[in-house]
Amino acid sequence: QVQLVESGGGLVQAGGSLRLSCAASGSTFSNYAMGWFRQAPGKERAFVAVINWRSGNTYYSHSGKGRFTISRDNAKNTMYLQMNSLEPEDTAVYYCAASARYVAGSGFEHDYDYWGQGTQVTVSS
């Protein structure tokens, strides 16, 4: 059974950085796309970034491009989201997700088959 466990969230001042991790287990992830989504208070969950596990190709939402970097470590079965120049608007619960159906990647929540429990990121002004 696929399990995804996020970590690395916390409280940071505006302009600071955080690195989120998503430890994956229960499958061979070379045939998956792995993504990050976030949900701010009172808002719907939104796409942040996605990586094709096999090729390493990445794609970002407008909000994440230029400030966030998604990556993966094959040996550790772990995906990362390096977030720099954080802004209060980045405050949200961040979720990692895995898709076996759309291995090239997708920005749509319903294309993902597995989800982590989320990690809170709070950016103070």
Side-chain angles (χ1 to χ4, degrees), residues 30-86:
S30 58
N31 295 321
Y32 283 71
M34 302 285 288
W36 287 100
F37 287 74
R38 68 185 185 184
Q39 187 166 21
K43 295 186 177 181
E44 294 185 351
R45 193 151 54 182
F47 168 72
V48 176
V50 62
I51 186 167
N52 177 293
W53 196 275
R54 180 185 296 274
S55 68
N57 290 338
T58 60
Y59 182 76
Y60 297 88
S61 68
H62 177 74
S63 61
K65 196 170 186 178
R67 298 187 299 127
F68 296 175
T69 302
I70 188 172
S71 63
R72 88 278 191 241
D73 184 324
N74 289 334
K76 295 182 178 179
N77 255 15
T78 300
M79 176 178 66
Y80 303 98
L81 185 68
Q82 177 67 43
M83 305 187 293
N84 299 326
S85 302
L86 283 163

Side-chain angles (χ1 to χ4, degrees), residues 100-124:
R101 294 174 288 139
Y102 294 88
V103 294
S106 169
F108 296 102
E109 185 177 350
H110 58 255
D111 289 340
Y112 289 79
D113 306 294
Y114 305 99
W115 292 84
Q117 82 288 352
T119 185
Q120 176 71 48
V121 171
T122 303
V123 184
S124 64

